[in-house]
Each structure stands twice: as C-alpha cells, then as structure tokens.
Amino acid sequence: QAFQKAQACSTLPSLCTMASKGARVLLLAVLVLTWTRNLTFTGLRGRAATSPPQQLMAWDAMARTKGCRVGLKAVGLFFATQTGNTEEVAGLIGSATGLEASDYDGEDFSDLDGMIVGCPTWNTGADDMRSGTTWDDYLETISGYDLKGKTVAIFGCGDSQGYGDNFCDGIEELHNTFQAAGAKMVGYSDSSGYDFSESKSVKDGKFLGLPLDQDNEGDQSEARIADWVAQLKGEGMPF
C-alpha cells in the first residue's frame, strides 16, 4: 500500500505538467478514484478505503509547487526593464493582484491561462524593437505561438514630458505580438487622462493597455493600477 501511495503521488507532477486547464479537475478526480479503488488500509481488506482530506490537501499542495493549480486558473506577470521603472510598476501590479512579477526570459506561456506583460519604450520613434529589452529578442517567436484561449493585458512605462511624441509606444508592439498569437486582449485604457502629444499605442481614443509614467506622474500609478486590476477582473482575466 505504501508503494502504491508513493507511486500515485510521484506521478502527479508529470501529469500536472501535461494537463490542460480543462482537464485539471478531471485529473484530481481520477487520482481520487484510483486511490479509493486500489488502496486498502490494514484491517479493511476487501472494503473500499476512502482518501482522507489530508491526502487531498497534500495532492493539491504538491500540484501547486509544480505549477499545476488543480481546479484553478494560472496567471503570470512578466516584465522587462531598462531603468527599473517597469520593474517597479510590475511590483505594484503584483501587490494589487497577489501575483509574483518575473523578469521575462523566454517563457512560452503554455502552462498559463492569462498573462499580464509590461515593457518600457526605449527606442523612441522606432517601428519595431521599441522596448530595448529582452522582449525585442522574442517578439517574432511569441507571435508564432498558439495562445488561443489565453487572456492577455499589456502595461507600459513612458515619459510623457521628455518623450511626449512617442509616449508608451512599446505597448502597441507588445499588444500586437500577443494578439497575432491569438490571445484575447483586455485592459485598454482611456487616453484622456494622460498629458502627451502622440502615441502609436492609442487606437480609437484608448491605449492598448495601461500606460504609466513613473518619471512625471508616479504619484498616480497606484490608483491607476487599482482601477486597471478591477477592470481586468471584469473583462475576464482569470485571477
């Protein structure tokens, strides 16, 4: 019995890795059924044993440590930065959502149901590779992913006074990259609340994400993020 129990638990991480979001609840149900059919406690041979609540909790805890959130949906928070402003903003978003911000390093997002991603605008006036960060190295790769069924929101940092003619241009490039991969894009922001001249990231009066200006309007960032996070929840980001 001890061997069967160890075998069932050791198999869980690999199963979780392969499980799609629609199969995670089914995965847990199969494991519970396997436990009740195949395991017996000493003195109860011939009678179906029941899995104690502690075991279910242990399975769930193991699944979470391996990146498989049984019965829940997983959201990732990614950023890349030049001066540190985007990292700071990502930290604020992390505090507002309970997510841990990660410096993007080529992840393929296959184990996630939703992503919040952010970049600065460093190469002002450029048509491509606008962020001057790791994102630039992966834009073409990401656009080739199959992200259908995943929800994505973009945030970006800019300088509305020093570079008001290209304010947060990086948002559009990142937005279009994930949109090309089939992701559902959410989190657009009304541009009327910002003081800038021009931006490639504005379409029909809205930014294609959340623009933030830590250089000139940093005192407004927390309130803007709080409103945006509430908006994302209403638009289907699977927090």
Side-chain angles (χ1 to χ4, degrees):
Q1 292 91 342
F3 172 76
Q4 289 176 309
K5 176 179 177 182
Q7 187 179 46
C9 291
S10 65
T11 303
L12 180 59
S14 60
L15 288 175
C16 283
T17 300
M18 296 185 292
S20 65
K21 64 178 183 179
R24 289 172 186 154
V25 175
L26 179 60
L27 171 62
L28 184 56
V30 170
L31 288 170
V32 172
L33 183 61
T34 301
W35 176 274
T36 57
R37 284 187 175 181
N38 296 335
L39 300 184
T40 58
F41 294 112
T42 302
L44 296 180
R45 194 172 300 276
R47 294 168 54 189
T50 58
S51 181
Q54 293 87 345
Q55 184 60 50
L56 298 181
M57 293 173 65
W59 278 345
D60 185 63
M62 182 182 294
R64 290 170 185 272
T65 63
K66 297 298 181 182
C68 176
R69 301 173 63 194
V70 177
L72 299 176
K73 294 185 176 181
V75 178
L77 171 59
F78 300 95
F79 70 91
T81 190
Q82 272 280 359
T83 65
N85 281 346
T86 313
E87 181 176 8
E88 180 181 0
V89 165
L92 294 175
I93 295 174
S95 296
T97 59
L99 301 173
E100 181 178 352
S102 299
D103 195 345
Y104 183 70
D105 190 28
E107 289 83 355
D108 65 5
F109 316 113
S110 60
D111 59 340
L112 298 173
D113 301 291
M115 293 84 77
I116 301 174
V117 299
C119 69
T121 298
W122 188 256
N123 298 319
T124 55
D127 289 328
D128 53 22
M129 297 188 178
R130 300 173 192 170
S131 75
T133 69
T134 306
W135 288 118
D136 295 348
D137 299 328
Y138 290 94
L139 294 173
E140 185 174 353
T141 300
I142 294 171
S143 66
Y145 289 154
D146 181 5
L147 300 181
K148 295 181 182 66
K150 299 181 188 292
T151 304
V152 175
I154 312 295
F155 67 94
C157 287
D159 181 347
S160 61
Q161 301 305 309
Y163 300 95
D165 292 337
N166 303 101
F167 182 57
C168 288
D169 280 357
I171 287 177
E172 183 209 31
E173 186 172 34
L174 210 52
H175 169 279
N176 291 351
T177 296
F178 280 89
Q179 187 177 58
K184 173 188 175 183
M185 306 305 298
V186 298
Y188 297 178
S189 304
D190 193 332
S191 64
S192 63
Y194 295 84
D195 181 17
F196 67 101
S197 299
E198 294 182 34
S199 176
K200 293 181 176 69
S201 299
V202 174
K203 304 296 180 186
D204 299 323
K206 289 189 175 184
F207 281 98
L208 301 175
L210 175 68
L212 296 162
D213 185 350
Q214 293 300 93
D215 295 315
N216 305 289
E217 299 176 351
D219 59 330
Q220 300 184 52
S221 292
E222 287 194 32
R224 284 171 170 169
I225 288 170
D227 290 342
W228 191 59
V229 168
Q231 176 185 337
L232 295 185
K233 291 179 180 179
E235 294 178 350
M237 182 62 72
F239 291 121

